[in-house]
Amino acid sequence: MSASYQHVGPDLSLPDGVATALLDEEGVVLRWSRTAVDMLDRTAAEVCGKPVGYLLADGSAGCRAGHGKVVMPAAGRAVLRHRSGGVVEVDFRALPLEACTEIFVLAVPSGSVTTSEQDSALGRALLAQDRIGVGIHDMDLKLVRTNITPGMFPSAALPLGGRPADVMSPPHAALRRVLETGVPLIGHEQPMRSPQVPGRQRPVSLSAVRLEDAQGSPTGVAVLYTDAEEERRSRRRLEVFHQAARIGGSLDVNQTAQDLAHVLVPALGDQAWVDLAEAVLLGDEPPKILGGYLNLRRVAVAAGSAPYPATLLQPGATIPRIPEGAHLRRYQRGEAVIIDRETMRNILRDDSEAFRLLTPEDGHSSLWAPMFARGLVLGNVAMWRTERPEPFDEDDAALLAELASRAAISVDNARRYTRERRVAVALQQRLLPRATTDTPAAQTAGFYLPAGGGAEIGGDWFDVIPLPSLRTAFVVGDVVGHGLHATATMGRLRTAVQTLADLELEPTELLTRLDGLVARLAAEAAPEHRDSVGATCLYAVYDPIDCRCTLASAGHPPPVLLRTDGTTHVLKVSPGPPLGVGAMPFETTTVDLEPGSVLALYTDGLTTRDDQDPDVALRYLSDRLPAYYLPERSLDDTGHALLADADDPPPRDDIALLLARTRALPAEAVAAWEFPADPAIVADAREAAMRQLAAWGLEETAFTTELVVSELVTNAVRYGGGPIGLRLIRDEVLVCEVTDSSNTQPRLRRARTTDEGGRGLFMVAQLTTRWGSRYGQTGKTIWAEQPLEAPDIGQLADLPQNTPV
């Protein structure tokens, strides 16, 4: 601040802009100053000798006459007339003079007094601050006035008469430039020496302006001091929390811990690590007992300029037990604790191995904080300083405690997600069949790839169902939606398909029954979820005897066939409506497959990726399949190669893939006959079967086979109609089939002791591994399977003795 002054006399000077006048006791102007002339543009000759009322625009300004004297208030505001006809509003003070009757009047334009008072208030306020230091320096930079006390900053205070160089590295050049140029210095950071810690300095921020006199000549420098360490801490805190925003972006526990470690280094420390309870890594809750041993495991580490030391505990290793003590108890209460190197050695009680694993060679100060979430201790986070000389302080501890608390919530969310996903994946894996199968009809390999790189599960499934007469059913399906709801629906549909497949229904009939089941599931769902209950399905039955495959589709993508010559073909399957739509028929497609052909069944997640045209993606699959499949390469390797392409980038929809390499049963392994519906042909059928068994070298099965053929052919003649077919199939089991033209379902019952018949199917069921029937377009087939070894003699002894054979 600066002001100019006018000289009034040898002992009195007034600031510029103050007009003065001398009045007699009657209010007549006796004297008129140069400033008054300038203010009203009226000369002394014009004003002197006239009453003061002559100058007043309002006529009084509080003046009044009494007993020949003028009475003026001690202070007030008046409106004076300017020569130009305008007015000038002034604030005035009237001062009676000693030993005379004259009145000395001072007047300034209204507002200038307020400005002066504000300037004075600003100066007093600055000098009264205890967080902002103020120093007034003369032309030699000597301190002439200040409010800085020894306790204001954690550094030395500059005494009156001292220079800044006494407590700081010489800032002469910067302050001298302010004196010479008048250009202010703003926010110049300067270290100040600390008297408490020799050699340690604390940064302060300087702002300086030049002081000038009335003529504009420099008179010194005013300097404002603020603690730059607090500013540094605030900036660092904001930066750390800005970086910490990325913590929790992953639902992987290990990745979340690693993100925390990367935030801490180098922002707060030179080395850091995160240890979590093993239960957390598995998705489970750690022990809830405070102070209980958590069985911690190191999951994330970070280092600054140098690599993470190999001498320290590495990721995946178990943390050694730390003995009980005051620091551990504070830690267990949720506090962040500061531990120096020597204290760490005392805590570990001369356990040199644990000290080596938990203490860097150059580490001098460490900071430990627990990770609390929902009242559970999930683990801990620790930092060491090895390169920075200053130790951790309480501000660092508070910051780490807050970061650890925030990160713990993210870790707990990831833990809970891990648990839920583990349960869901386990459920889905239990619901899916074995990945590979090997049957007389085909060799298969199935694959399931969750959406989002394993982050989601859904309702896609595949299945391989062995059917009677060495046939095999291939199934692939896709339930609408994702999550446990879709997985549970998938499990119900897979069970239904297996049950319906055991009934040996035609593919179209099976899908019709399955469509009704989905419609019932939708009706059972809540109204807001009914539209989301649905599925697609492809059902195929392959017969290795005639190498024929029968397929039907419920809104599912067509399979891709890889022929033995290396060419591919997309099977033209007539797609019916998705399951649950109802009132629409399904169509059957029949194709002949060469032995060694590979049939690829899949869900649409494999061919609908990145908004790509499904037809283009299907052609891509057709092109890649022969490239990845080689005769000497397993189906498992082929499938993994195909899904490796599909997993980059991770698919948005889950994928099920089933590869089936077909086989053919040798012609000599099948024998078939046809007989008229005459009771006399029962003996012929038995004789033909015995000859064939002898040709195959299966005489040990002759008794059982003869009994089965006799009973089944007899029932066909008695209850069915001609022609009657008999077929024997030999592979790992011996299959006996009898076909007739009737659609009557055979029933197994227990005959009473007085019944003369009704025991035929009972004996067939007792002597064979399994039996059943299936319907064709013009009749039914009853079949029975038996092992190639002869049955146990005791089993034959248990048969009803009055059974006619």
Side-chain angles (χ1 to χ4, degrees), residues 576-622:
L579 299 174
V581 174
M584 296 289 288
F586 300 99
E587 298 185 25
T588 299
T589 301
T590 302
V591 293
D592 294 325
L593 303 179
E594 298 177 277
S597 300
V598 175
L599 198 62
L601 296 85
Y602 53 90
T603 56
D604 59 1
L606 188 63
T607 56
T608 54
R609 306 183 65 239
D610 299 329
D611 298 327
Q612 190 178 26
D613 188 330
D615 293 335
V616 175
L618 186 56
R619 286 195 297 270
Y620 177 81
L621 173 62
S622 300

Side-chain angles (χ1 to χ4, degrees), residues 626-692:
Y628 286 130
Y629 176 75
L630 298 173
E632 65 275 8
R633 193 175 193 179
S634 68
L635 292 178
D636 191 64
D637 292 341
T638 302
H640 281 109
L642 284 171
L643 292 185
D645 281 352
D647 199 27
D648 187 21
R652 290 176 296 178
D653 193 8
D654 46 344
I655 298 172
L657 173 66
L658 178 63
L659 299 178
R661 181 162 48 206
T662 61
R663 292 170 171 163
L665 207 63
E668 60 272 14
V670 181
W673 302 270
E674 188 174 288
F675 304 99
D678 187 342
I681 58 97
V682 176
D684 297 336
R686 287 200 301 263
E687 183 179 354
M690 294 306 101
R691 286 197 305 268
Q692 187 61 52

Side-chain angles (χ1 to χ4, degrees), residues 53-243:
Y54 169 75
L55 300 175
L56 299 177
D58 58 0
S60 67
C63 300
R64 68 181 186 276
H67 303 287
K69 296 182 180 180
V70 66
V71 179
M72 294 186 63
R77 179 166 294 184
V79 180
L80 305 180
R81 293 184 298 176
H82 194 271
R83 175 183 291 276
S84 64
V87 295
V88 177
E89 188 175 6
V90 298
D91 293 304
F92 70 89
R93 294 194 68 178
L95 303 175
L97 299 179
E98 292 289 338
C100 65
T101 59
E102 284 85 3
I103 302 173
F104 187 64
V105 179
L106 299 90
V108 296
S110 296
S112 60
V113 173
T114 302
T115 302
S116 177
E117 291 177 350
Q118 290 174 345
D119 291 343
S120 299
L122 175 60
R124 290 193 301 270
L126 285 176
L127 292 173
Q129 292 294 313
D130 60 358
R131 295 177 63 98
I132 301 177
V134 180
I136 307 298
H137 299 261
D138 62 13
M139 294 296 292
D140 294 327
L141 298 182
K142 290 182 180 179
L143 186 65
V144 297
R145 190 174 183 184
T146 185
N147 69 331
I148 301 177
T149 61
M152 181 175 291
F153 299 124
S155 55
L158 185 63
L160 291 176
R163 290 182 172 87
D166 296 338
V167 293
M168 293 182 282
S169 299
H172 293 156
L175 296 183
R176 187 63 62 184
R177 280 195 301 271
V178 175
L179 278 173
E180 293 173 355
T181 65
V183 177
L185 179 67
I186 306 298
H188 176 73
E189 191 168 300
Q190 183 74 38
M192 293 183 68
R193 289 188 289 274
S194 172
Q196 292 84 6
V197 182
R200 184 180 178 185
Q201 296 180 330
R202 187 179 182 92
V204 295
S205 178
L206 305 181
S207 295
V209 294
R210 185 171 71 178
L211 301 177
E212 299 175 349
D213 60 13
Q215 288 72 36
S217 300
T219 61
V221 178
V223 184
L224 297 181
Y225 300 85
T226 57
D227 190 356
E229 184 68 22
E230 291 296 329
E231 297 178 8
R232 282 186 179 183
R233 289 182 181 275
S234 298
R235 289 196 302 269
R236 182 183 63 177
R237 188 180 184 89
L238 290 176
E239 291 173 358
V240 169
F241 281 118
H242 177 72
Q243 296 176 11

